[in-house]
């Protein structure tokens, strides 16, 4: 069964967009947990692994954002 993820109500930010995203991803998230169980992992360790992966992605994204800002600031300072 192919996972279905609904789109946001609008492209621009809106109230409860984060909750809509959680709802959109919940079914796929549960499918990933179930798949992990089928391969011998338990749901708790799979959820913890996903949490760590999400944390690492957020940290990398923040580092990239800060690097981009720093490069832009250095570039601006030269002119």
């Amino acid at each position: 069964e192919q996972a279905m993820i609904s789109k946001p109500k609008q492209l621009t930010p809106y109230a409860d967009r984060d909750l809509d995203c959680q709802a959109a991803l919940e079914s796929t998230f549960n499918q990933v947990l179930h798949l992990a169980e089928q391969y011998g992992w338990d749901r708790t360790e799979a959820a913890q692994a996903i949490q760590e992966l999400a944390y690492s992605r957020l940290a990398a994204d923040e580092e990239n954002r800060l690097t981009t800002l720093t490069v832009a600031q250095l570039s601006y300072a030269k002119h």
Side-chain angles (χ1 to χ4, degrees):
E1 176 184 337
Q2 183 69 24
M4 292 296 298
I5 298 174
S6 58
K7 295 180 180 182
K9 293 175 184 170
Q10 61 189 55
L11 296 177
T12 55
Y14 61 89
D16 292 336
R17 184 179 166 108
D18 58 333
L19 298 177
D20 285 352
C21 187
Q22 288 177 38
L25 295 177
E26 186 173 15
S27 176
T28 300
F29 173 75
N30 288 329
Q31 287 179 9
V32 171
L33 292 181
H34 181 70
L35 187 61
E37 281 184 308
Q38 289 180 322
Y39 283 88
W41 305 100
D42 71 44
R43 283 177 91 76
T44 300
E45 63 190 345
Q48 288 171 336
I50 291 168
Q51 182 179 36
E52 288 298 319
L53 289 168
Y55 178 81
S56 295
R57 170 56 57 94
L58 290 170
D61 288 351
E62 179 65 5
E63 187 173 323
N64 289 338
R65 187 185 72 79
L66 292 174
T67 299
T68 300
L69 282 175
T70 302
V71 169
Q73 288 169 342
L74 290 173
S75 176
Y76 181 77
K78 289 180 182 175
H79 296 114

